[in-house]
Amino acid sequence: MPEALSRSTSALAQAVAAVLHPSIPAEAGLSLDDVAGMLAPPKVKNAGDLAFGCFRLAKALRNAPPKIAAELADALPKGGIIKEAVATGPFLNLTIDLGAMASAVLPALARGLGEPVVTRDEKVMVEYSQPNTHKAFHVGHMRNVSLGDALVRLLRAHGHEVVAANYLGDVGAHIAKCLWWYLDMLTQDERTPPAEAKGEWLGELYAKANNQLAQWEDDAKAGDADAQAKLEQAKARTTEILLKLEARDPELTAVWKKTRQWSLEEFDEIYAWSKVVFDRVFYESEVDEPGLTLVQDYLEQGVFVESEGAVGIFNEEIKHMPFFMLRKRDGTSLYSTKDLALAKLKFEEYAIDRSIYVVDMRQSDHFKHVFLTLKKMGFEQAEQCHHVPYEMVELPEGAMSTRKGTVILFRALRERMLGHLEEAYLAKYRGDWSDEEIAQTAHALALGAIKYGMLNRDVNQKIVFDLEAWMNLEGNTGPYIQYSAARLGSILRKAQEAGKTLQAGLVDDPSTLAAAGATLEQPEERELMSALDGLAVAVHNAAEGLKPSTLCTYLHGLAKAVNRFSTSKACKVIDQEGDRLQGRLLLVTAANEALRWGLWQLGIPSPARM
RNA sequence: GCGUCCGUAGCUCAGUUGGAUAGAGCGCCGGCCUUCUAAGCCGGAUGCCGCAGGUUCGAAUCCUGCCGGGCGUGCCA
């Protein structure tokens, strides 16, 4: 029987609600689950382990919340799981029996949380990453990758079957610009890419092309006739390239395939390093023609209309910009054209029930149009399409700009982060640890720093990426949480070396479990147990709200509780014996599992030691 | 102009469906390494929650209006 990894109420709240619920007058109209949902750790200190706010009962019981709290405090049976019940104003504050608390919270974690099991009918596709080939991959792209991958993992933990999808931009104007530079501005020798990072090299060509065109455009506007001529010539050439590509010109198609492959290989390498896996990769090139076919069909059906030579639809529901263009005057497709075909393809190919798009916030209007248009095309599943917007990543000096050369490329980020980690933190282990372990640890920590940094913030907050600041791995960071897990791992390792291990079968034996749990009387232990109790609810909320940031906040709080425990002289594990040893080993085992599993739901691996 | 997002401590941000004394990280000041990792722990200072109304027993949270900033807004993706 797999434990539920995602729950709307905590294990402890459920156990307490089972006792509390019968004491609440039926007139209150609260179900057992309602009561469990209303139980939460108190927000003030020294008020017990769980609090029950009586506000919602006031109306039905025709009584003031403080009085209800007081009456409940009297009526509640003590001596079982509830050790003490005190009314403090409108709150009923409960102190829980330690053995019972440990029994409710720790076994499921200590057994190991394992792999997610499908418990929900709804099959979900999450589309994310969507990089363009022939362009560089930079830090901004990492926010999308981190977010999309975390959503895939969270939705799986939540019980959904999930298809992780990527959608590569391998057609369009940017390709023509890049190939123009590659073919016309480079000599034969210069057309040989470097051995590594061919995609990044292509991105440089694209940037050069783009910058040159922008420069000519500026100069032409300022009255420079020479620039005007060059600009027109270049535009004619890029259009020619684009048209030849669409016509499947053999020579150009061969160049396109070869260069495209360089980008694809680099993307694969980046994804592998980032530990993200896609079940399906869509390409713009595969939905281009189907999109145009759809546009033609629905134009003939009268759903779409012609306007100023272009084809589109007037979505009057979007008052500030009703026209949604689906085909350009020259008959070629747009982003929107392909999105129509892609949306249908997703549902047809995978029989999904919900389709999620992780795309930055600037495209919110675009997706409103896409979904609305699909609906008008008679595609009912449009209502199950959902855009998850997120704000941009910027640099301290402002938005990233290829033209100004202010982008931080992925490879530079990775190398700087790895180098910093090895020098500033891991150098002390050199010789002691194998080079391989040091490299693997640096890798895990770099992922922790980057992904946690990208996920910790709410999606509608901008992220200012200051590389130097991101090198500081203290405080509320991925490595801080990884560190707290590593210390727990260290405790378990040393305990084992001393021959002290968790007694086999303890988690399944109620009486020894309760006896061991009852020894966890230090404040640090109690707080840690309470924090651990919140894991499944944190996962539930993050998955339902599509907000990995809330899990980050939870894990940071859990890590703080762990570190208080780990540094407390009163909570030593190795020098203990008997029930207290077992209780602490159980707590450490559970916390270790919870932290590492929780981080992994964000796509962050935890090194065994650091 | 219209749409949308943001505005909370010096800085960067949390703040569950309205509920207890608004929290955390960074930075600053002061402590803690002879026993499970100092990437850590403990203590201290700092707030007209942008402004003004409204709803409510109760508002950082909900409603309205304003102010300031970002982004989007017909042939890019």
Side-chain angles (χ1 to χ4, degrees), chain A residues 282-358:
Chain A
F282 295 105
Y283 298 90
E284 283 191 25
S285 57
E286 72 179 298
V287 285
D288 196 350
E289 286 182 23
L292 283 169
T293 304
L294 280 177
V295 170
Q296 184 60 35
D297 287 352
Y298 286 84
L299 175 63
E300 286 166 13
Q301 290 178 34
V303 178
F304 299 161
V305 294
E306 277 194 50
S307 172
E308 298 173 28
V311 173
I313 182 169
F314 285 93
N315 289 320
E316 302 295 347
E317 297 87 339
I318 300 173
K319 291 187 281 290
H320 59 283
M321 46 173 291
F323 188 64
F324 186 45
M325 189 181 296
L326 293 162
R327 191 173 79 190
K328 291 186 279 185
R329 198 181 326 201
D330 65 6
T332 58
S333 67
L334 287 150
Y335 188 43
S336 53
T337 321
K338 296 161 202 160
D339 257 334
L340 295 184
L342 179 62
K344 299 190 75 164
L345 180 59
K346 286 174 174 176
F347 282 90
E348 284 160 10
E349 193 175 316
Y350 286 93
I352 53 173
D353 302 294
R354 183 154 62 125
S355 186
I356 288 173
Y357 297 71
V358 181

Coordinates of all heavy atoms in Angstrom, one line a residue, chain A residues 282-358:
Chain A
F282 N 8.4 18.1 -29.4 CA 7.7 18.6 -30.6 C 8.6 19.6 -31.3 O 9.4 20.2 -30.6 CB 6.4 19.3 -30.2 CG 5.3 18.4 -29.6 CD1 5.1 18.4 -28.2 CD2 4.6 17.5 -30.4 CE1 4.1 17.6 -27.6 CE2 3.6 16.7 -29.8 CZ 3.4 16.8 -28.4
Y283 N 8.5 19.7 -32.6 CA 9.2 20.7 -33.3 C 8.3 21.6 -34.1 O 7.3 21.1 -34.6 CB 10.2 20.0 -34.3 CG 11.2 19.1 -33.7 CD1 10.9 17.7 -33.4 CD2 12.4 19.6 -33.3 CE1 11.8 16.9 -32.8 CE2 13.3 18.8 -32.7 CZ 13.0 17.4 -32.4 OH 14.0 16.6 -31.8
E284 N 8.6 22.8 -34.1 CA 7.8 23.8 -34.9 C 7.7 23.3 -36.3 O 6.7 23.4 -37.0 CB 8.4 25.2 -34.9 CG 8.1 25.9 -33.6 CD 8.5 27.4 -33.6 OE1 8.4 28.0 -34.7 OE2 8.7 27.9 -32.6
S285 N 8.8 22.7 -36.8 CA 8.8 22.2 -38.2 C 7.7 21.1 -38.5 O 7.3 20.9 -39.6 CB 10.1 21.7 -38.6 OG 10.6 20.7 -37.8
E286 N 7.2 20.5 -37.4 CA 6.2 19.4 -37.7 C 4.8 19.9 -37.6 O 3.9 19.2 -37.9 CB 6.5 18.2 -36.7 CG 6.1 18.5 -35.3 CD 6.3 17.2 -34.4 OE1 5.6 16.2 -34.6 OE2 7.1 17.3 -33.4
V287 N 4.6 21.1 -37.1 CA 3.2 21.6 -37.0 C 3.0 22.8 -37.8 O 1.9 23.4 -37.9 CB 2.9 22.0 -35.5 CG1 2.6 20.7 -34.7 CG2 3.9 22.8 -34.8
D288 N 4.0 23.2 -38.6 CA 4.0 24.3 -39.5 C 2.9 24.1 -40.6 O 1.9 24.9 -40.6 CB 5.4 24.5 -40.2 CG 5.5 25.8 -40.8 OD1 4.5 26.5 -40.9 OD2 6.6 26.1 -41.2
E289 N 3.0 23.1 -41.4 CA 2.1 22.8 -42.4 C 0.7 22.5 -41.9 O -0.3 23.0 -42.4 CB 2.6 21.7 -43.4 CG 3.7 22.3 -44.3 CD 4.2 21.3 -45.2 OE1 3.5 20.3 -45.6 OE2 5.4 21.4 -45.7
P290 N 0.6 21.6 -40.9 CA -0.7 21.3 -40.3 C -1.4 22.5 -39.9 O -2.6 22.7 -40.0 CB -0.4 20.3 -39.2 CG 0.9 19.7 -39.5 CD 1.6 20.7 -40.3
G291 N -0.7 23.5 -39.3 CA -1.3 24.7 -38.9 C -1.9 25.5 -40.0 O -3.0 26.0 -40.0
L292 N -1.1 25.6 -41.1 CA -1.6 26.3 -42.3 C -2.8 25.6 -42.9 O -3.8 26.3 -43.3 CB -0.5 26.5 -43.3 CG 0.6 27.5 -43.0 CD1 1.8 27.4 -43.9 CD2 0.0 28.9 -43.1
T293 N -2.8 24.3 -42.8 CA -4.0 23.6 -43.3 C -5.2 23.9 -42.5 O -6.3 24.2 -43.0 CB -3.7 22.1 -43.3 OG1 -2.6 21.8 -44.0 CG2 -4.9 21.3 -43.9
L294 N -5.1 23.9 -41.2 CA -6.2 24.3 -40.3 C -6.7 25.7 -40.6 O -7.9 25.9 -40.7 CB -5.7 24.3 -38.8 CG -5.6 22.9 -38.1 CD1 -5.1 23.2 -36.7 CD2 -7.0 22.3 -38.0
V295 N -5.8 26.6 -40.8 CA -6.2 28.0 -41.1 C -7.0 28.1 -42.3 O -8.0 28.7 -42.4 CB -4.9 28.9 -41.2 CG1 -5.3 30.3 -41.7 CG2 -4.2 29.0 -39.8
Q296 N -6.5 27.4 -43.4 CA -7.3 27.4 -44.6 C -8.7 26.8 -44.4 O -9.7 27.3 -44.9 CB -6.5 26.6 -45.7 CG -7.1 26.6 -47.1 CD -7.3 28.0 -47.6 OE1 -6.4 28.9 -47.4 NE2 -8.3 28.3 -48.4
D297 N -8.8 25.6 -43.7 CA -10.0 25.0 -43.5 C -11.0 25.9 -42.8 O -12.2 26.0 -43.2 CB -9.9 23.7 -42.6 CG -9.2 22.6 -43.4 OD1 -9.1 22.7 -44.6 OD2 -8.8 21.6 -42.8
Y298 N -10.6 26.5 -41.7 CA -11.5 27.3 -40.9 C -11.7 28.7 -41.6 O -12.7 29.3 -41.2 CB -11.0 27.4 -39.5 CG -11.2 26.2 -38.7 CD1 -10.3 25.1 -38.8 CD2 -12.4 26.0 -38.0 CE1 -10.5 23.9 -38.1 CE2 -12.6 24.8 -37.3 CZ -11.7 23.7 -37.4 OH -11.9 22.6 -36.7
L299 N -10.9 29.1 -42.5 CA -11.2 30.3 -43.3 C -12.3 30.0 -44.2 O -13.3 30.7 -44.3 CB -9.9 30.7 -44.1 CG -10.1 31.8 -45.1 CD1 -10.5 33.1 -44.3 CD2 -8.9 32.1 -45.9
E300 N -12.3 28.8 -44.8 CA -13.3 28.4 -45.7 C -14.6 28.2 -45.0 O -15.7 28.4 -45.5 CB -12.9 27.1 -46.5 CG -11.9 27.4 -47.6 CD -11.2 26.1 -48.1 OE1 -11.7 25.0 -47.8 OE2 -10.2 26.2 -48.8
Q301 N -14.5 27.7 -43.7 CA -15.8 27.5 -42.9 C -16.3 28.8 -42.4 O -17.4 28.8 -41.8 CB -15.5 26.6 -41.7 CG -15.2 25.1 -42.1 CD -14.9 24.3 -40.9 OE1 -15.4 24.6 -39.8 NE2 -14.0 23.3 -41.1
G302 N -15.5 29.9 -42.5 CA -16.0 31.2 -42.1 C -15.7 31.5 -40.6 O -16.2 32.5 -40.1
V303 N -15.0 30.6 -40.0 CA -14.6 30.8 -38.6 C -13.5 31.9 -38.6 O -13.5 32.8 -37.7 CB -14.1 29.6 -37.9 CG1 -13.7 29.9 -36.5 CG2 -15.2 28.5 -37.9
F304 N -12.6 31.8 -39.5 CA -11.5 32.8 -39.6 C -11.9 33.8 -40.8 O -12.7 33.4 -41.6 CB -10.2 32.2 -39.9 CG -9.7 31.2 -38.9 CD1 -8.7 30.2 -39.1 CD2 -10.2 31.2 -37.6 CE1 -8.3 29.4 -38.2 CE2 -9.8 30.4 -36.6 CZ -8.8 29.4 -36.9
V305 N -11.3 34.9 -40.7 CA -11.6 36.0 -41.7 C -10.3 36.6 -42.3 O -9.2 36.5 -41.7 CB -12.5 37.1 -41.1 CG1 -13.8 36.5 -40.7 CG2 -11.8 37.7 -40.0
E306 N -10.4 37.2 -43.4 CA -9.3 38.0 -44.0 C -9.4 39.4 -43.5 O -10.5 40.0 -43.3 CB -9.4 37.9 -45.5 CG -8.8 36.7 -46.1 CD -8.5 36.8 -47.6 OE1 -7.9 37.8 -48.0 OE2 -9.0 35.9 -48.3
S307 N -8.2 40.0 -43.2 CA -8.2 41.3 -42.8 C -6.8 41.9 -43.2 O -5.8 41.4 -42.9 CB -8.3 41.4 -41.3 OG -8.0 42.7 -40.8
E308 N -6.9 43.0 -44.0 CA -5.7 43.6 -44.6 C -4.8 42.6 -45.2 O -3.6 42.7 -45.1 CB -5.0 44.4 -43.5 CG -5.8 45.5 -42.9 CD -5.2 46.2 -41.6 OE1 -3.9 46.2 -41.6 OE2 -5.9 46.6 -40.8
G309 N -5.4 41.6 -45.9 CA -4.5 40.6 -46.6 C -4.1 39.5 -45.7 O -3.8 38.4 -46.2
A310 N -4.2 39.6 -44.4 CA -3.8 38.5 -43.5 C -5.1 37.8 -43.2 O -6.2 38.2 -43.4 CB -3.1 39.1 -42.3
V311 N -4.8 36.6 -42.5 CA -6.0 35.8 -42.0 C -5.9 35.7 -40.5 O -4.8 35.5 -40.0 CB -6.0 34.4 -42.7 CG1 -7.1 33.5 -42.1 CG2 -6.2 34.5 -44.2
G312 N -7.1 35.8 -39.9 CA -7.1 35.7 -38.4 C -8.5 35.6 -37.9 O -9.4 35.2 -38.7
I313 N -8.7 35.9 -36.7 CA -10.0 35.9 -36.1 C -10.1 37.0 -35.1 O -9.1 37.4 -34.5 CB -10.2 34.5 -35.3 CG1 -11.6 34.4 -34.7 CG2 -9.1 34.3 -34.2 CD1 -11.9 33.0 -34.2
F314 N -11.3 37.6 -35.1 CA -11.6 38.7 -34.1 C -12.1 38.1 -32.8 O -13.3 37.7 -32.8 CB -12.5 39.7 -34.7 CG -11.8 40.6 -35.8 CD1 -11.8 40.3 -37.1 CD2 -11.1 41.7 -35.4 CE1 -11.2 41.0 -38.1 CE2 -10.4 42.5 -36.3 CZ -10.5 42.2 -37.7
N315 N -11.3 38.0 -31.8 CA -11.8 37.6 -30.5 C -12.2 38.8 -29.7 O -11.4 39.4 -29.0 CB -10.7 36.8 -29.8 CG -10.4 35.4 -30.4 OD1 -11.4 34.8 -30.8 ND2 -9.2 35.1 -30.6
E316 N -13.5 39.2 -29.9 CA -13.9 40.4 -29.2 C -13.8 40.3 -27.7 O -13.9 41.3 -27.0 CB -15.3 40.8 -29.7 CG -15.5 40.9 -31.2 CD -14.7 42.1 -31.7 OE1 -14.3 42.9 -30.9 OE2 -14.6 42.2 -33.0
E317 N -13.8 39.1 -27.2 CA -13.7 38.9 -25.7 C -12.4 39.6 -25.2 O -12.3 40.0 -24.0 CB -13.6 37.4 -25.4 CG -14.8 36.7 -25.8 CD -14.8 36.1 -27.2 OE1 -14.0 36.7 -28.0 OE2 -15.5 35.2 -27.5
I318 N -11.4 39.7 -26.0 CA -10.2 40.4 -25.6 C -10.2 41.8 -26.2 O -9.7 42.1 -27.3 CB -8.9 39.6 -26.1 CG1 -9.0 38.2 -25.5 CG2 -7.6 40.3 -25.7 CD1 -8.0 37.2 -26.0
K319 N -10.8 42.6 -25.4 CA -11.2 44.0 -25.9 C -10.0 44.8 -26.3 O -10.1 45.6 -27.3 CB -12.0 44.7 -24.8 CG -13.3 44.1 -24.5 CD -14.2 44.9 -23.6 CE -13.8 44.7 -22.2 NZ -14.1 43.4 -21.6
H320 N -8.9 44.7 -25.6 CA -7.8 45.7 -25.9 C -7.0 45.3 -27.2 O -6.2 46.0 -27.7 CB -6.9 45.8 -24.7 CG -6.3 44.5 -24.3 ND1 -7.0 43.5 -23.6 CD2 -5.1 44.0 -24.5 CE1 -6.2 42.5 -23.4 NE2 -5.0 42.7 -23.9
M321 N -7.2 44.1 -27.7 CA -6.5 43.7 -28.9 C -7.2 42.5 -29.5 O -6.7 41.4 -29.5 CB -5.1 43.3 -28.6 CG -4.8 42.5 -27.4 SD -3.1 41.9 -27.3 CE -3.0 40.8 -28.6
P322 N -8.4 42.7 -30.1 CA -9.3 41.6 -30.6 C -8.7 40.8 -31.7 O -9.0 39.6 -31.8 CB -10.6 42.3 -31.0 CG -10.3 43.7 -31.1 CD -9.1 44.0 -30.3
F323 N -7.9 41.4 -32.6 CA -7.5 40.6 -33.8 C -6.4 39.7 -33.5 O -5.3 40.1 -32.9 CB -7.1 41.5 -34.9 CG -6.9 40.8 -36.2 CD1 -7.9 40.1 -36.8 CD2 -5.6 40.7 -36.8 CE1 -7.7 39.4 -38.0 CE2 -5.4 40.0 -37.9 CZ -6.4 39.3 -38.6
F324 N -6.5 38.4 -33.8 CA -5.5 37.4 -33.6 C -5.1 36.9 -35.0 O -5.8 36.2 -35.6 CB -6.1 36.3 -32.7 CG -5.1 35.3 -32.3 CD1 -3.8 35.6 -31.8 CD2 -5.4 33.9 -32.4 CE1 -2.9 34.7 -31.4 CE2 -4.5 32.9 -32.0 CZ -3.2 33.3 -31.5
M325 N -3.9 37.3 -35.4 CA -3.5 36.9 -36.7 C -2.9 35.5 -36.8 O -2.2 35.0 -35.9 CB -2.4 37.9 -37.2 CG -2.0 37.7 -38.6 SD -0.7 38.8 -39.2 CE -1.5 40.3 -39.0
L326 N -3.4 34.8 -37.8 CA -3.0 33.4 -37.9 C -2.3 33.0 -39.2 O -1.7 31.9 -39.4 CB -4.3 32.5 -37.8 CG -5.0 32.6 -36.5 CD1 -6.4 32.1 -36.5 CD2 -4.2 31.7 -35.5
R327 N -2.3 34.0 -40.2 CA -1.5 33.8 -41.4 C -1.2 35.1 -41.9 O -2.0 36.0 -42.0 CB -2.4 33.0 -42.4 CG -1.6 32.5 -43.6 CD -2.4 31.6 -44.5 NE -3.3 32.4 -45.4 CZ -4.3 31.9 -46.2 NH1 -4.5 30.6 -46.1 NH2 -5.0 32.7 -46.9
K328 N 0.1 35.3 -42.3 CA 0.6 36.5 -42.8 C 0.1 36.8 -44.2 O -0.3 35.9 -44.9 CB 2.1 36.6 -42.7 CG 2.6 36.6 -41.3 CD 4.2 36.8 -41.3 CE 4.9 35.5 -41.5 NZ 6.4 35.7 -41.4
R329 N 0.2 38.1 -44.6 CA -0.2 38.4 -45.9 C 0.5 37.6 -47.0 O -0.1 37.3 -48.0 CB 0.1 39.9 -46.2 CG -0.6 40.6 -47.3 CD -0.3 42.0 -47.5 NE 0.0 42.6 -46.2 CZ 0.0 44.0 -46.0 NH1 -0.4 44.8 -46.9 NH2 0.2 44.4 -44.8
D330 N 1.8 37.3 -46.7 CA 2.5 36.5 -47.7 C 2.2 35.0 -47.7 O 2.8 34.2 -48.4 CB 4.0 36.7 -47.5 CG 4.6 36.2 -46.2 OD1 3.8 35.5 -45.5 OD2 5.7 36.4 -45.9
G331 N 1.2 34.6 -46.8 CA 0.8 33.3 -46.8 C 1.5 32.3 -45.9 O 1.2 31.2 -45.7
T332 N 2.6 32.9 -45.2 CA 3.3 32.0 -44.3 C 2.7 32.0 -42.9 O 1.9 32.8 -42.6 CB 4.8 32.5 -44.2 OG1 4.8 33.9 -43.8 CG2 5.5 32.4 -45.6
S333 N 3.2 31.1 -42.1 CA 2.6 30.8 -40.8 C 3.3 31.7 -39.8 O 4.3 32.3 -40.0 CB 2.8 29.4 -40.4 OG 4.2 29.1 -40.2
L334 N 2.6 31.7 -38.6 CA 3.1 32.5 -37.5 C 3.2 31.5 -36.3 O 2.7 30.3 -36.4 CB 2.1 33.6 -37.1 CG 2.1 34.8 -38.0 CD1 0.7 35.4 -38.0 CD2 3.1 35.8 -37.6
Y335 N 3.7 32.0 -35.2 CA 3.7 31.2 -34.0 C 2.3 30.7 -33.6 O 2.1 29.5 -33.3 CB 4.2 32.2 -32.9 CG 4.5 31.6 -31.5 CD1 5.2 30.5 -31.4 CD2 4.1 32.3 -30.4 CE1 5.4 30.0 -30.1 CE2 4.4 31.9 -29.1 CZ 5.0 30.7 -29.0 OH 5.3 30.2 -27.8
S336 N 1.4 31.6 -33.8 CA 0.0 31.3 -33.5 C -0.5 30.1 -34.4 O -1.3 29.3 -33.9 CB -0.9 32.5 -33.7 OG -0.7 33.0 -35.0
T337 N -0.2 30.2 -35.6 CA -0.6 29.1 -36.6 C -0.2 27.7 -36.1 O -1.0 26.8 -36.0 CB 0.1 29.3 -37.9 OG1 0.2 30.7 -38.2 CG2 -0.6 28.6 -39.0
K338 N 1.1 27.7 -35.6 CA 1.6 26.4 -35.2 C 1.0 25.9 -33.9 O 0.8 24.8 -33.6 CB 3.1 26.5 -35.1 CG 3.8 26.8 -36.4 CD 5.2 27.3 -36.2 CE 5.6 28.1 -37.4 NZ 6.7 29.0 -37.2
D339 N 0.7 26.9 -33.0 CA 0.1 26.6 -31.7 C -1.2 25.9 -31.8 O -1.6 25.1 -31.0 CB 0.0 27.8 -30.8 CG 1.2 27.8 -29.8 OD1 1.6 26.7 -29.5 OD2 1.6 28.9 -29.3
L340 N -2.0 26.3 -32.9 CA -3.3 25.7 -33.1 C -3.1 24.2 -33.4 O -3.8 23.3 -32.8 CB -4.1 26.3 -34.2 CG -4.5 27.8 -34.0 CD1 -5.3 28.2 -35.2 CD2 -5.3 28.0 -32.8
A341 N -2.2 23.9 -34.3 CA -2.0 22.5 -34.7 C -1.4 21.7 -33.5 O -1.8 20.6 -33.3 CB -1.1 22.5 -35.9
L342 N -0.5 22.4 -32.8 CA 0.2 21.7 -31.7 C -0.8 21.3 -30.6 O -0.8 20.2 -30.1 CB 1.3 22.6 -31.2 CG 2.1 22.0 -30.0 CD1 2.8 20.7 -30.4 CD2 3.1 23.0 -29.4
A343 N -1.7 22.2 -30.3 CA -2.7 22.0 -29.2 C -3.5 20.7 -29.5 O -3.7 19.9 -28.7 CB -3.6 23.2 -29.0
K344 N -3.9 20.6 -30.8 CA -4.7 19.4 -31.1 C -3.9 18.2 -31.1 O -4.3 17.1 -30.7 CB -5.3 19.6 -32.5 CG -6.3 20.8 -32.6 CD -7.0 20.9 -33.9 CE -8.1 19.9 -33.9 NZ -9.1 20.1 -35.0
L345 N -2.7 18.3 -31.7 CA -1.8 17.2 -31.7 C -1.5 16.5 -30.4 O -1.5 15.3 -30.2 CB -0.4 17.6 -32.4 CG 0.7 16.5 -32.5 CD1 0.2 15.4 -33.4 CD2 1.9 17.1 -33.1
K346 N -1.4 17.4 -29.4 CA -1.1 16.9 -28.0 C -2.2 16.0 -27.5 O -2.0 15.0 -26.9 CB -1.0 18.1 -27.1 CG 0.3 18.9 -27.2 CD 0.3 20.1 -26.3 CE 1.6 20.9 -26.3 NZ 1.5 22.1 -25.5
F347 N -3.4 16.5 -27.7 CA -4.6 15.7 -27.2 C -4.8 14.4 -28.0 O -5.1 13.4 -27.5 CB -5.9 16.6 -27.2 CG -6.0 17.5 -26.1 CD1 -5.5 18.8 -26.2 CD2 -6.5 17.2 -24.9 CE1 -5.5 19.7 -25.2 CE2 -6.6 18.1 -23.8 CZ -6.1 19.3 -24.0
E348 N -4.5 14.5 -29.3 CA -4.7 13.4 -30.2 C -3.7 12.3 -29.9 O -4.0 11.1 -29.8 CB -4.7 13.8 -31.7 CG -6.0 14.5 -32.1 CD -5.8 15.3 -33.3 OE1 -4.7 15.2 -34.0 OE2 -6.7 16.1 -33.7
E349 N -2.4 12.7 -29.8 CA -1.4 11.8 -29.7 C -1.3 11.1 -28.3 O -0.9 10.0 -28.2 CB 0.0 12.5 -30.0 CG 1.1 11.5 -30.3 CD 2.4 12.3 -30.7 OE1 2.3 13.2 -31.6 OE2 3.5 11.9 -30.2
Y350 N -1.6 11.8 -27.3 CA -1.4 11.3 -25.9 C -2.7 11.1 -25.1 O -2.7 10.7 -24.0 CB -0.5 12.2 -25.1 CG 0.9 12.1 -25.6 CD1 1.5 12.9 -26.6 CD2 1.7 11.0 -25.1 CE1 2.7 12.7 -27.1 CE2 3.0 10.9 -25.6 CZ 3.5 11.7 -26.6 OH 4.8 11.5 -27.0
A351 N -3.9 11.5 -25.7 CA -5.1 11.3 -25.0 C -5.0 11.9 -23.6 O -5.5 11.3 -22.6 CB -5.5 9.8 -24.9
I352 N -4.5 13.1 -23.5 CA -4.4 13.8 -22.2 C -5.7 14.5 -21.9 O -6.6 14.7 -22.7 CB -3.3 14.9 -22.3 CG1 -3.5 15.8 -23.5 CG2 -1.9 14.2 -22.4 CD1 -2.5 17.0 -23.5
D353 N -5.8 14.8 -20.6 CA -7.0 15.5 -20.1 C -6.8 17.0 -19.8 O -7.7 17.7 -19.8 CB -7.5 14.8 -18.8 CG -7.8 13.4 -19.0 OD1 -8.7 13.0 -19.8 OD2 -7.0 12.5 -18.5
R354 N -5.5 17.3 -19.6 CA -5.2 18.7 -19.3 C -3.8 19.0 -20.0 O -2.9 18.2 -20.0 CB -5.1 18.9 -17.8 CG -4.8 20.4 -17.4 CD -5.4 20.7 -16.0 NE -4.7 19.9 -15.0 CZ -4.1 20.5 -13.9 NH1 -4.1 21.8 -13.8 NH2 -3.6 19.8 -13.0
S355 N -3.7 20.2 -20.5 CA -2.5 20.6 -21.2 C -2.0 21.9 -20.7 O -2.7 22.9 -20.7 CB -2.9 20.8 -22.7 OG -1.8 21.1 -23.5
I356 N -0.8 21.8 -20.1 CA -0.2 23.0 -19.4 C 1.0 23.5 -20.2 O 1.8 22.8 -20.8 CB 0.3 22.5 -18.0 CG1 -0.9 22.3 -17.1 CG2 1.2 23.6 -17.4 CD1 -0.6 21.7 -15.8
Y357 N 1.0 24.9 -20.4 CA 2.0 25.5 -21.1 C 2.8 26.4 -20.2 O 2.3 27.3 -19.6 CB 1.4 26.4 -22.2 CG 0.6 25.8 -23.3 CD1 -0.6 25.2 -23.0 CD2 1.1 25.7 -24.6 CE1 -1.4 24.7 -24.0 CE2 0.4 25.2 -25.6 CZ -0.9 24.6 -25.3 OH -1.6 24.1 -26.3
V358 N 4.1 26.1 -20.0 CA 4.9 26.9 -19.2 C 5.7 27.9 -20.1 O 6.6 27.5 -20.8 CB 6.0 26.1 -18.4 CG1 6.8 27.0 -17.5 CG2 5.2 25.0 -17.5

